Amino acid sequence: EIVLTQSPGTLSLSPGERATLSCRASQSVSSNYLAWYQQKPGQAPRLLISGASSRATGIPDRFSGSGSGTDFTLTISRLEPEDFAVYYCQQYGSSLTFGGGTNVEIK
Amino acid sequence: QVQLVQSGPEVKKPGASVKVSCKASGYTFISYGLSWVRQAPGQGLEWMGWISGYNGHTIYAQNLQGRVAMTTDTSSRTAYMELRSLRSDDTAVYYCARARCGGDCYVPTYYFDYWGQGALVTVSS
């Protein structure tokens, strides 16, 4: 099973700042099959990125995904108030597993 | 627009069973599979399994084999997840989610583009 480690566990930033979230896999993720989700309290997760870098329908372009192999990054170029949430990565190249999440909180 | 609407919260005793429903609309039901993902309080996401909307073929997570059963009713565009022999650590929010296949759909390589609102299942004596 591929284990995904997300870092940092918590990221404290101000609106307007850039957020960089990391997702590291214990083995190479086949075909860069890596997705990112956003989850707000009391809500279901929302798909942001699939295939490591393809934005889902309706996702603003301030969200971008990059990386390959074992190292992946989600970048939010300028944080908006509605972006403060928990973010999960998920690999689907070999069975599927989720990372433990990064909480992006208001500083 | 794509919508997945789930049944309401449940409270069950240890050893009982629970059945959660997920009604789909806004897309061709038989063209996609559905997965179930659960989230224990304050915890991360755990994939439980997948069912084909086309032929009802199922793939279950190994740790739930024998306790979980997923079914669909194509006439009502509804998927069901039944979990048996409930334990306290089954307390969680249960989500259905439309599954997009990374490759072969009969291998569990999915990501999830639409999610239901979740159904809280509480297991307590």
Side-chain angles (χ1 to χ4, degrees):
Chain A
E1 174 181 291
I2 295 180
V3 176
L4 298 179
T5 302
Q6 292 189 241
S7 61
T10 300
L11 195 52
S12 299
L13 294 168
S14 300
E17 290 194 292
R18 181 184 188 90
T20 303
L21 286 66
S22 172
C23 176
R24 180 160 292 176
S26 60
Q27 308 167 39
S28 184
V29 176
S30 174
S31 302
N32 293 331
Y33 282 166
L34 194 287
W36 289 93
Y37 302 87
Q38 176 194 68
Q39 187 178 34
K40 298 178 182 179
Q43 295 186 17
R46 177 173 73 142
L47 177 68
L48 299 174
I49 301 284
S50 64
S53 61
S54 297
R55 266 189 307 275
T57 303
I59 301 303
D61 61 7
R62 64 179 181 273
F63 291 92
S64 63
S66 63
S68 64
T70 60
D71 288 297
F72 298 89
T73 300
L74 175 70
T75 302
I76 310 170
S77 59
R78 287 179 55 87
L79 281 164
E80 297 287 340
E82 63 268 26
D83 298 338
F84 292 92
V86 178
Y87 292 82
Y88 293 97
C89 59
Q90 177 228 331
Q91 68 80 23
Y92 52 103
S94 173
S95 188
L96 66 91
T97 50
F98 290 93
T102 290
N103 180 27
V104 179
E105 65 173 24
I106 299 177
K107 187 173 182 180
Chain B
Q1 75 281 25
V2 175
Q3 280 196 304
L4 299 171
V5 179
Q6 298 184 229
S7 48
E10 303 263 11
V11 180
K12 297 291 182 180
K13 294 195 181 306
S17 298
V18 70
K19 193 169 186 177
V20 181
S21 68
C22 170
K23 185 170 177 60
S25 61
Y27 71 95
T28 303
F29 186 78
I30 61 172
S31 295
Y32 296 86
L34 284 167
S35 268
W36 292 85
V37 176
R38 68 179 179 178
Q39 186 172 36
Q43 301 301 308
L45 301 165
E46 179 190 9
W47 178 74
M48 300 178 66
W50 170 90
I51 183 165
S52 168
Y54 176 69
N55 59 15
H57 182 82
T58 52
I59 301 174
Y60 301 134
Q62 249 185 331
N63 65 318
L64 292 172
Q65 288 270 5
R67 283 209 303 138
V68 68
M70 298 176 187
T71 56
T72 59
D73 178 348
T74 53
S75 66
S76 64
R77 307 163 57 86
T78 302
Y80 300 90
M81 186 283 300
E82 183 177 27
L83 189 60
R84 301 181 285 267
S85 303
L86 288 168
R87 310 186 293 242
S88 58
D89 61 358
D90 292 319
T91 293
V93 176
Y94 288 75
Y95 295 102
C96 60
R98 193 176 78 167
R100 303 297 300 273
C101 304
D104 179 355
C105 288
Y106 296 101
V107 176
T109 53
Y110 321 112
Y111 67 96
F112 310 109
D113 61 353
Y114 291 94
W115 295 64
Q117 83 276 18
L120 175 62
V121 175
T122 303
V123 183
S124 173
S125 54

